[in-house]
């Protein structure tokens, strides 16, 4: 029996046991006197997550979200009330306020990072999420990736992730608070949290969720302006994008800079991607745009890519509007 099957069986048994009295999963994490939420350990956080993400698809959504909100709110009551005391009307209002506060990407679902902002966790575990200090750009992300993918496999395996977390804790001057066992627990939890396809290692798109970038510049409105008149990509926009990726100011986008740019581009078309996807993409883009075949992108070549991107988005937009109005 796998761990998840054991957990499911245990949950089913607990459910049966508690049918006669109102049960509330969140109640155990509140202080009995003050009703404040207690600080969760990494493992407890994962318990909460897997309890509510019943279908294991990486989101608490729909009826899962309703169940979580009802229990979250009713567990704050001093008396043992059933989650059903939260009326449907109350739930609608509650969900709206709650999602405004915590649903950062406004997709109507709660993902694991959003839940981590809501539940108080042990300080040093939360610190690892780097909420307060996202990376400047995907160029930094690709440098970190290269540094920790020490065997060049195109994945961050458990031991590489552990080294990454150890260095993060050192940087935050917290390494002395963390035993080797604790570090293994963190690594394990991070894998549970971010390894979406459950292959025991992190691919590029999974690591990108752990190490968020301030913004993907290519998602900006200027690349999305559709039917409302042709997209006006100004010289300034192109300069800004170029300097965002040309970190060493040498006039070309190359190596990690190029991979950072391509990662941002790839993210626009693909949700799950790995190092192989990035490499294939690099070959395709360079084949189409690297006119002098030097494996780098000049400002002129970048301009061509950005214009093509804006044009593509515009056509998609027109197609969407066209099909919806027909």
């Amino acid at each position: 029996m796998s761990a998840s099957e054991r957990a499911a069986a245990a949950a089913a048994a607990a459910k049966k046991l508690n049918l006669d009295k109102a049960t509330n999963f969140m109640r155990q994490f509140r202080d009995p006197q003050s009703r404040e939420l207690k600080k969760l350990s990494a493992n407890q956080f994962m318990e909460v997550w897997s309890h509510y993400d019943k279908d294991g698809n990486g989101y608490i959504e729909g009826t899962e979200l309703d169940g979580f909100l009802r229990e979250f709110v009713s567990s704050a009551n001093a008396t043992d009330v059933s989650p059903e005391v939260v009326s449907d009307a109350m739930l609608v209002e509650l969900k709206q306020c709650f999602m405004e506060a915590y649903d950062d990407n406004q997709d109507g679902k709660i993902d694991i990072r959003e839940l981590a902002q809501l539940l108080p966790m042990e300080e040093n575990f939360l610190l690892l999420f780097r909420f307060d200090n996202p990376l400047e750009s995907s160029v930094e992300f690709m440098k970190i990736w290269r540094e920790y993918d020490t065997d060049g496999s195109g994945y961050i395996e458990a031991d590489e992730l552990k080294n990454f977390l150890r260095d993060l804790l050192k940087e935050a001057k917290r390494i002395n608070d963390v035993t080797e066992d604790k570090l293994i627990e963190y690594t394990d939890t991070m894998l549970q949290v971010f390894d979406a396809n459950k292959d025991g290692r992190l691919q590029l798109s999974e690591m990108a969720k752990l190490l968020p970038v301030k913004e993907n510049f290519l998602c900006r409105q200027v690349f999305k302006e559709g039917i409302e008149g042709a997209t006006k990509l100004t010289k300034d926009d192109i300069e800004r994008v170029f300097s965002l990726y040309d970190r060493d100011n040498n006039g070309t986008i190359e190596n990690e800079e190029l991979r950072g740019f391509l990662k941002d581009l790839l993210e626009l078309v693909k949700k799950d991607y790995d190092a192989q996807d990035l490499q294939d993409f690099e070959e395709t883009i360079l084949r189409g745009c690297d006119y002098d075949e030097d494996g780098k992108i000049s400002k002129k070549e970048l301009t061509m890519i950005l214009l093509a991107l804006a044009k593509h988005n515009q056509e998609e937009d027109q197609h969407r509007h066209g099909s919806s109005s027909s």
Side-chain angles (χ1 to χ4, degrees), residues 80-108:
D80 210 355
V81 293
S82 147
E84 278 61 57
V85 297
V86 179
S87 70
D88 290 350
M90 222 164 114
L91 184 68
V92 170
E93 198 174 316
L94 179 69
K95 193 189 267 186
Q96 197 181 348
C97 299
F98 191 84
M99 296 311 264
E100 264 172 35
Y102 294 106
D103 182 20
D104 291 341
N105 58 0
Q106 298 173 342
D107 62 357

Side-chain angles (χ1 to χ4, degrees), residues 159-224:
D159 57 331
E160 295 169 338
L161 182 60
K162 190 169 88 170
N163 292 337
F164 167 72
L165 297 181
R166 182 185 283 117
D167 290 350
L168 256 194
L169 285 164
K170 268 188 202 147
E171 198 185 302
K173 313 261 189 298
R174 303 300 304 252
I175 193 63
N176 299 332
D177 310 347
V178 177
T179 62
E180 190 63 18
D181 282 352
K182 202 78 177 145
L183 193 60
I184 290 168
E185 185 193 321
Y186 283 155
T187 305
D188 202 39
T189 303
M190 285 308 199
L191 273 175
Q192 285 183 57
V193 173
F194 292 103
D195 176 20
N197 63 3
K198 303 292 173 231
D199 64 355
R201 55 193 185 171
L202 297 183
Q203 64 180 34
L204 265 175
S205 56
E206 293 165 347
M207 187 73 172
K209 287 203 167 60
L210 164 59
L211 267 186
V213 169
K214 266 188 192 158
E215 78 167 322
N216 181 341
F217 199 87
L218 304 178
C219 289
R220 286 207 173 169
Q221 202 49 39
V222 69
F223 301 113
K224 293 186 164 171

Side-chain angles (χ1 to χ4, degrees), residues 35-286:
R35 316 306 310 154
E36 287 289 307
L37 278 170
K38 296 185 275 197
K39 281 194 172 176
L40 273 61
S41 71
N43 283 344
Q44 287 174 321
F45 175 75
M46 285 313 297
E47 264 178 58
V48 172
W49 173 258
S50 49
H51 179 81
Y52 291 105
D53 177 21
K54 293 196 189 317
D55 59 5
N57 73 341
Y59 296 99
I60 296 176
E61 60 189 333
T63 53
E64 297 169 342
L65 183 60
D66 294 351
F68 169 70
L69 288 176
R70 283 181 195 275
E71 294 199 359
F72 184 76
V73 171
S74 54
S75 68
N77 280 324
T79 52
D80 210 355
V81 293
S82 147
E84 278 61 57
V85 297
V86 179
S87 70
D88 290 350
M90 222 164 114
L91 184 68
V92 170
E93 198 174 316
L94 179 69
K95 193 189 267 186
Q96 197 181 348
C97 299
F98 191 84
M99 296 311 264
E100 264 172 35
Y102 294 106
D103 182 20
D104 291 341
N105 58 0
Q106 298 173 342
D107 62 357
K109 311 182 268 200
I110 291 287
D111 67 26
I112 201 140
R113 294 184 62 93
E114 291 163 346
L115 186 71
Q117 293 192 61
L118 159 71
L119 298 178
M121 278 191 282
E122 288 177 348
E123 187 186 3
N124 29 6
F125 180 67
L126 236 185
L127 165 148
L128 300 178
F129 279 79
R130 301 284 290 261
F131 280 132
D132 302 329
N133 95 28
L135 298 173
E136 274 305 315
S137 82
S138 286
V139 179
E140 274 82 2
F141 174 85
M142 291 312 301
K143 284 181 179 158
I144 291 172
W145 176 270
R146 191 186 57 172
E147 191 183 332
Y148 290 98
D149 178 18
T150 42
D151 60 2
S153 66
Y155 295 93
I156 301 285
E157 279 97 3
D159 57 331
E160 295 169 338
L161 182 60
K162 190 169 88 170
N163 292 337
F164 167 72
L165 297 181
R166 182 185 283 117
D167 290 350
L168 256 194
L169 285 164
K170 268 188 202 147
E171 198 185 302
K173 313 261 189 298
R174 303 300 304 252
I175 193 63
N176 299 332
D177 310 347
V178 177
T179 62
E180 190 63 18
D181 282 352
K182 202 78 177 145
L183 193 60
I184 290 168
E185 185 193 321
Y186 283 155
T187 305
D188 202 39
T189 303
M190 285 308 199
L191 273 175
Q192 285 183 57
V193 173
F194 292 103
D195 176 20
N197 63 3
K198 303 292 173 231
D199 64 355
R201 55 193 185 171
L202 297 183
Q203 64 180 34
L204 265 175
S205 56
E206 293 165 347
M207 187 73 172
K209 287 203 167 60
L210 164 59
L211 267 186
V213 169
K214 266 188 192 158
E215 78 167 322
N216 181 341
F217 199 87
L218 304 178
C219 289
R220 286 207 173 169
Q221 202 49 39
V222 69
F223 301 113
K224 293 186 164 171
E225 316 250 283
I227 278 171
E228 324 303 325
T231 306
K232 305 282 188 290
L233 248 188
T234 65
K235 205 163 179 272
D236 270 2
D237 293 324
I238 288 162
E239 285 290 340
R240 269 214 303 280
V241 175
F242 195 77
S243 62
L244 182 76
Y245 296 106
D246 178 21
R247 304 305 268 190
D248 59 6
N249 297 320
N250 72 345
T252 58
I253 296 176
E254 59 201 321
N255 302 328
E256 256 74 51
E257 299 170 341
L258 176 60
R259 276 173 217 119
F261 170 62
L262 292 171
K263 170 189 167 282
D264 285 349
L265 259 186
L266 189 57
E267 229 158 51
L268 301 182
V269 292
K270 213 169 182 312
K271 202 164 65 81
D272 303 314
Y273 53 90
D274 59 22
Q276 189 57 53
D277 293 325
L278 192 68
Q279 197 181 330
D280 296 345
F281 195 52
E282 183 172 343
E283 284 165 20
T284 310
I285 292 282
L286 288 178

